[in-house]
Amino acid sequence: MNNSRAPRFSAADVEVLKRETPFKGFFQVDRLTLRHRRYQGDWGPELTREVFLRQPAAAVLPYDPVRGEILLVEQFRVGALGWRDTPWCLEMIAGIADKEGEPVEQLVRREAMEEAGIELGEMRPVLSYMPSPGGTNERLHLFVARADLAGAGGVYGCAGEGEDILATTWAVAEIPALLESGRVDNAASLITLQWLLLHRAALDREWRG
């Protein structure tokens, strides 16, 4: 098939017949009965799909162009149990909007203080993407932010939420080895670290100039 001639669908090509909410806590799960138009042009059969709902999320990689350093955080992640030798994951500062409509730029600035005790300067959007559209509506917004990382690092987190977060600084020169090691194995961090390697020279000219 010539992909350039494939039909383009929209939300109008999906008919939601029923929506239920079997679970609603910190997160929400909806069960949808639906059908959608098929590539042949007709309507497909009724399908039942569960979707994990959450507010917009964002992650940021603090970068100090003067020191040539980045900051990452490490914390326990229940989803990593059984998948790797340790469920403590090395990743970017990240969070979920506390309320509907919270700007993602404001979200990551707040999380940077909570998870690493640092203030962020100018931020550069990397991209936004859907981590797993087959089962969740989550959209994750990624940023690189200018930061002064002199003296940065330590243990942070919101004690009332059971957070125990270790913030550490790394030389940009260490990024290729980190990527090769497999220690960083979440998509947001992999995407943003590689983005920084590709765009570092341009950022340095702007942020150091």
Side-chain angles (χ1 to χ4, degrees):
M1 175 184 292
N2 185 334
N3 289 333
S4 65
R5 298 180 183 176
R8 294 176 179 262
F9 300 120
S10 71
D13 297 299
V14 180
E15 182 180 11
V16 178
L17 306 171
K18 185 178 181 182
R19 180 186 289 267
E20 304 168 281
T21 303
F23 176 81
K24 187 172 184 179
F26 184 72
F27 299 117
Q28 178 175 326
V29 176
D30 279 6
R31 180 182 296 118
L32 279 65
T33 302
L34 57 82
R35 63 175 187 161
H36 62 78
R37 197 175 295 279
R38 301 195 293 189
Y39 285 102
Q40 293 88 341
D42 60 341
W43 286 90
E46 288 188 12
L47 304 171
T48 300
R49 295 288 184 267
E50 286 80 27
V51 59
F52 179 80
L53 304 178
R54 64 191 304 183
Q55 295 284 356
V60 63
L61 180 68
Y63 170 55
D64 187 330
V66 176
R67 300 175 64 84
E69 294 179 346
I70 60 169
L71 184 141
L72 296 171
V73 295
E74 185 179 80
Q75 60 186 309
F76 171 78
R77 292 300 200 188
V78 67
L81 274 172
W83 280 102
R84 58 210 307 269
D85 59 352
T86 173
W88 274 259
C89 298
L90 189 64
E91 56 194 26
M92 291 161 51
I93 292 168
I96 306 170
D98 279 348
K99 56 186 178 180
E100 188 173 352
E102 180 183 18
V104 289
E105 294 85 354
Q106 179 179 315
L107 162 63
V108 291
R109 290 185 186 280
R110 170 170 55 79
E111 291 292 337
M113 286 299 300
E114 292 179 5
E115 296 189 3
I118 60 171
E119 292 186 2
L120 301 179
E122 182 179 351
M123 289 196 294
R124 181 62 51 83
V126 173
L127 58 79
S128 63
Y129 73 104
M130 299 189 73
S132 186
T136 176
N137 73 334
E138 178 183 8
R139 179 165 289 276
L140 183 57
H141 303 266
L142 307 180
F143 297 90
V144 170
R146 184 176 182 176
D148 180 358
L149 298 181
V155 177
Y156 296 88
C158 180
E161 297 178 4
E163 291 183 335
D164 182 51
I165 300 171
L166 177 65
T168 56
T169 56
W170 302 73
V172 172
E174 295 179 275
I175 293 177
L178 268 178
L179 296 174
E180 289 288 339
S181 71
R183 185 175 177 190
V184 178
D185 63 355
N186 64 89
S189 298
L190 291 171
I191 291 168
T192 310
L193 288 171
Q194 293 183 70
W195 186 94
L196 179 61
L197 292 179
L198 289 172
H199 297 86
R200 183 189 180 191
L203 278 183
D204 285 353
R205 286 193 297 270
E206 180 178 344
W207 288 352
R208 296 182 67 177

